[in-house]
Amino acid sequence: MKAKFLVPLFLFLLLVGFLAYGLRLNPREVPSALIDKPAPAFRLAQLHQPDSQFGTDDLRGQVWLLNVWASWCVGCHQEHPYLMELARSAPVPLIGLNYKDERADAIQFLNSKGDPYQHIGVDADGKVGFEYGVYGAPETFLIDREGVIRYKHIGPLTREIYERELKPRIEELSRVG
Amino acid sequence: MWVDLSLSRWARCATLAGALLLGGGAQAAGQASLVADDPELEARVLALSHKLRCLVCQNESVAESRAPLAVDMRNQVREQLAAGKSEREVVDFLVARFGDFVVFTPPFRVSTALLWFGPGLLLVLGVSGLALRLRRRAQETPAPLDDAERARARALLAGDPPPEESRK
């Protein structure tokens, strides 16, 4: 009862605690509605071979990563060196979705920086990206053998994020079955 | 990082000029072709778009934003409304892809219960706390004055300084 005058101080500290926590959150990281939902099917022309198509059906039965990128996207330039490194060591295929890009720009981007992707689908009008709820390229999706989205990362992929979020999930998904 | 640099310089100039001419108003020049011919449909598209959050520039609605994604979303809304879908169905379609965050009004479920009930709960707590306190104060009858206090009160009322020793 004696320390009653401390109550406002405690309330204030509680508020500060909430605000400090709120400050550290990234408002861009909106939880994806698609986690644990089937990855939207697509069949797209390939960037390097416009005449041939590939799609989600071709990837059934394996765990894979879908990276949404474009040559105009600054974050994609940032993450590219890491994607090149990842392509050499990752145990799963890295598939690119070239989002709202010009074919010539995209090819030039890859020619100058290297091509980490096994396949690249061309999503010039952003229709497939829309189905995947893409709102800020680059985005990276982890999709399991049954074609279910298991994880989504928004923003440039880094080694730290891969090791912490993606690698354990990939190992687990690859082990099962 | 989220700016669509693929917009051609011309389109950007045109939209800027349009926005300036219209005072930053509704439809800028670069998007004029995307407006539906049917004004009634367009009104419904805009009304619904005002309830949707643009995920690129998060505190703007899809109706207000000129981010490429917002344009895509308006087009989706327009297409689906034109195809005869209800507002509810269109919202569900967008929520399925972009999550609850895309609507400004959060849906009602267990995880959002605190959000919906929290303010009411705080109000009830505050009002009942206040009522309790007021009731207790009304019931508290002050202790009768003793002789020293009575003398001090009398002195104060008479305008004299109170005797030193009675001060606590």
Side-chain angles (χ1 to χ4, degrees):
Chain A
M1 252 340 192
K2 233 177 169 184
K4 215 173 179 178
F5 70 95
L6 284 177
V7 169
L9 180 67
F10 280 125
L11 287 178
F12 172 72
L13 289 177
L14 192 71
L15 186 68
V16 167
F18 277 122
L19 291 177
Y21 179 68
L23 267 182
R24 300 169 69 97
L25 294 177
N26 180 0
R28 293 255 168 223
E29 272 169 25
V30 178
S32 175
L34 287 161
I35 305 280
D36 293 331
K37 300 266 163 60
F42 62 79
R43 184 146 271 289
L44 291 169
Q46 302 203 52
L47 184 70
H48 297 300
Q49 303 102 34
D51 300 331
S52 87
Q53 292 196 323
F54 92 104
T56 40
D57 293 345
D58 305 330
L59 296 154
R60 268 285 147 98
Q62 52 183 328
V63 180
W64 55 290
L65 287 169
L66 178 70
N67 179 253
V68 182
W69 67 285
S71 61
W72 50 260
C73 138
V74 180
C76 304
H77 287 258
Q78 278 173 15
E79 73 173 359
H80 201 82
Y82 180 65
L83 291 186
M84 291 303 294
E85 191 189 316
L86 184 64
R88 281 190 289 272
S89 62
V92 294
L94 181 61
I95 308 297
L97 183 71
N98 188 227
Y99 176 67
K100 290 191 175 184
D101 207 355
E102 302 284 339
R103 181 181 293 272
D105 294 348
I107 288 173
Q108 213 221 312
F109 177 99
L110 295 178
N111 282 346
S112 66
K113 289 173 174 267
D115 182 355
Y117 305 107
Q118 280 199 3
H119 294 279
I120 302 165
V122 176
D123 182 27
D125 56 6
K127 283 256 158 63
V128 172
F130 195 89
E131 290 295 318
Y132 277 80
V134 169
Y135 63 87
E139 294 190 12
T140 307
F141 295 82
L142 172 63
I143 296 162
D144 73 7
R145 289 175 175 168
E146 277 75 49
V148 175
I149 296 177
R150 301 310 280 267
Y151 186 75
K152 174 188 185 181
H153 174 70
I154 294 161
L157 194 62
T158 61
R159 184 202 313 274
E160 193 199 344
I161 292 159
Y162 178 80
E163 299 281 340
R164 193 181 63 217
E165 306 289 352
L166 286 167
K167 199 177 170 194
R169 287 181 170 87
I170 289 173
E171 278 166 4
E172 199 200 319
L173 291 172
S174 307
R175 203 183 311 128
V176 174
Chain B
M1 187 177 317
W2 282 270
V3 175
D4 187 348
L5 300 176
S6 70
L7 261 184
S8 73
R9 183 169 291 234
W10 179 85
R12 265 183 290 163
C13 289
T15 29
L16 184 64
L20 286 174
L21 279 173
L22 297 171
Q27 292 293 329
Q31 296 158 32
S33 59
L34 297 172
V35 178
D37 295 330
D38 176 2
E40 200 179 310
L41 174 66
E42 197 54 34
R44 283 176 68 206
V45 170
L46 273 182
L48 188 56
S49 302
H50 274 294
K51 295 179 194 157
L52 300 170
R53 187 198 306 269
C54 168
L55 288 124
V56 182
C57 20
Q58 301 190 336
N59 287 326
E60 249 184 326
S61 76
V62 165
E64 288 155 350
S65 177
R66 289 198 288 109
L69 182 74
V71 177
D72 285 354
M73 285 168 89
R74 277 203 298 275
N75 289 341
Q76 273 291 338
V77 170
R78 186 175 297 116
E79 253 170 53
Q80 299 205 3
L81 286 180
K85 285 201 180 176
S86 73
E87 262 89 356
R88 176 88 245 154
E89 284 170 317
V90 178
V91 169
D92 288 347
F93 170 89
L94 290 171
V95 166
R97 280 154 188 77
F98 296 95
D100 294 336
F101 199 69
V102 80
V103 282
F104 277 113
T105 319
F108 188 78
R109 60 172 71 116
V110 180
S111 60
T112 58
L114 198 62
L115 196 63
W116 280 96
F117 290 129
L121 207 68
L122 279 179
L123 183 73
V124 169
L125 274 178
V127 168
S128 46
L130 184 70
L132 212 71
R133 194 135 183 198
L134 286 176
R135 176 121 42 100
R136 199 179 296 159
R137 190 185 284 176
Q139 281 167 355
E140 267 173 22
T141 40
L145 300 179
D146 59 25
D147 287 343
E149 284 169 333
R150 213 178 289 274
R152 198 171 147 230
R154 211 173 289 129
L156 278 170
L157 283 171
D160 299 332
E164 266 316 301
E165 67 277 7
S166 69
R167 226 179 240 171
K168 284 190 180 163

